[in-house]
Amino acid sequence: MSAAELRHDWSLDEIRALFALPFNDLLFRAQSVHRQYFDPNQVQVSTLLSIKTGACAEDCAYCSQSAKYDTGLEREKLLPLDEVIAAAQTAKDKGSTRFCMGAAWRNPTDKNLDKVIDMITAVRGLGMETCVTLGMLTGTQAQRLREAGLDYYNHNLDTSPEFYGNVITTRTFQDRLDTLKHVREAGINVCSGGILGMGENGTDRARMLQELSNLEQHPESVPINMLVQIEGTPLYGSDTIDSLEFVRSIAVARILMPKSYVRLSAGRTDMSDETQALCFLAGANSIFYGERLLTTDNPDADHDQQLFDRLGINRQEVELAADQQVCCGAGT
Ligand code: SAM
Ligand code: DTB
Ligand code: SF4
């Protein structure tokens, strides 16, 4: 079979037809596409750290960190560099290959960006891949991050353009696309996905995946989050998404973006091992690893390792950029 072509012209009807396939047919198709580009038994693991927590000016209705909602979260200033390095070292020791630093900003100031750049340099120095998520960026800021050697920038579309205003009113869907363009043009790998279970309908889920897959270049990494319901936020108490519909969404993401890493992201503490196994079968091939996401819990690392063992899944080794390789003498 020839490799699945990378398309950027998926129609909504085509995507809805994928969602409507019998479950077994959809999973077979997703798994077949997955095997054309990836080792089906390998998963990439990243660890998250919130480097600046809470008091965010945006009103994202799902988020514990918006200043608009009383979620009881303790706010924290930008972490000092040594704390960030220590957390990255611990993540590396536990087998994580990428360190993702998140800040609750609408956008970073240039002064804050200087500090984040120091963090990126230090984490790369440990031999880890780096990812940051800092809100909206200008073209110049994206360029500066690229020059610092940043590997990935996370900036989610979150939902369909049609549903966007139900979730966030302090920025537009187009603002998100603009930042993604700056990141792409700077030559940084794009990490962009969304959240399911916010009260959106099936068409919204299809439209979000259509927007992601019809970008000029597919995001290298596509995080699919299941809403973590936070008390105090407007989305607390939303109807939860059916776990098989969640698995279907992973499968459709895999088919639409065959070469991208599809990340089974937030919400795993509410999923059974069996649901997660189905997500891997549907083509998910990366996860966040370690007990904490940004402000909420993630499964225990030991539990995840046991699940990997039960499924025969191996972790992917880090692929270091040439300028990042720590040389240790002749013959290395
Ligand atoms: N402030 C930056 C931004 O909005 O891009 C970065 C941090 S933000 C926490 C990163 C992403 O995490 C969001 O875009 C959203 O998709 C996801 N996220 C945040 N809170 C979540 C929740 N309660 N459940 C699931 N995903 C969530
Ligand atoms: C993404 O899509 N999910 C991660 C990461 N990108 C930054 C964040 C999930 C956050 C879940 C809620 C929390 O811990 O605050
Ligand atoms: Fe702020 Fe990001 Fe949370 Fe939105 S998702 S409130 S931008 S930290």
Side-chain angles (χ1 to χ4, degrees), residues 237-298:
S238 300
D239 288 344
T240 55
I241 180 176
D242 170 50
S243 51
L244 295 182
E245 174 69 7
F246 187 85
V247 176
R248 279 180 180 274
S249 308
I250 297 262
V252 173
R254 165 52 63 227
I255 294 166
L256 301 186
M257 295 169 276
K259 273 182 101 167
S260 305
Y261 281 82
V262 175
R263 183 179 301 274
L264 172 56
S265 301
R268 289 196 301 117
T269 49
D270 292 327
M271 286 176 209
S272 67
D273 288 348
E274 290 75 12
T275 298
Q276 294 182 60
L278 282 176
C279 289
F280 295 129
L281 186 64
N285 61 346
S286 63
I287 59 162
F288 290 116
Y289 186 68
E291 283 72 15
R292 202 89 182 131
L293 292 167
L294 289 174
T295 68
T296 64
D297 290 343
N298 200 37

Side-chain angles (χ1 to χ4, degrees), residues 186-199:
I188 301 168
N189 289 311
V190 169
C191 172
S192 187
I195 310 179
L196 311 184
M198 299 195 293

Side-chain angles (χ1 to χ4, degrees), residues 28-157:
F28 179 73
R29 193 156 157 195
Q31 179 63 204
S32 306
V33 168
H34 188 49
R35 284 168 184 259
Q36 292 175 15
Y37 289 102
F38 291 103
D39 175 343
N41 302 311
Q42 210 169 61
V43 167
Q44 186 278 333
V45 303
S46 301
T47 297
L48 279 166
L49 177 70
S50 180
I51 55 170
K52 185 266 166 184
T53 306
C56 184
E58 304 271 32
D59 70 351
C60 311
Y62 48 78
C63 189
S64 61
Q65 307 201 65
S66 167
K68 317 261 186 215
Y69 319 124
D70 182 7
T71 63
L73 185 74
E74 212 166 300
R75 55 178 68 176
E76 278 175 25
K77 292 202 175 116
L78 190 61
L79 291 183
L81 182 60
D82 57 343
E83 275 185 41
V84 175
I85 297 174
Q89 183 65 54
T90 304
K92 186 183 177 194
D93 293 344
K94 288 190 178 163
S96 201
T97 56
R98 189 177 307 157
F99 197 61
C100 305
M101 296 167 270
W105 289 320
R106 176 174 162 81
N107 54 269
T109 61
D110 287 338
K111 210 168 131 205
N112 281 331
L113 201 70
D114 289 340
K115 293 184 182 158
V116 174
I117 283 174
D118 290 343
M119 295 173 186
I120 293 167
T121 309
V123 174
R124 291 189 93 234
L126 298 177
M128 295 184 89
E129 292 179 324
T130 50
C131 174
V132 296
T133 178
L134 313 171
M136 293 187 247
L137 293 182
T138 64
T140 313
Q141 288 179 322
Q143 198 56 47
R144 289 195 57 211
L145 287 169
R146 176 65 204 136
E147 281 156 17
L150 178 68
D151 298 292
Y152 289 81
Y153 194 82
N154 167 247
H155 201 67
N156 289 343
L157 291 183

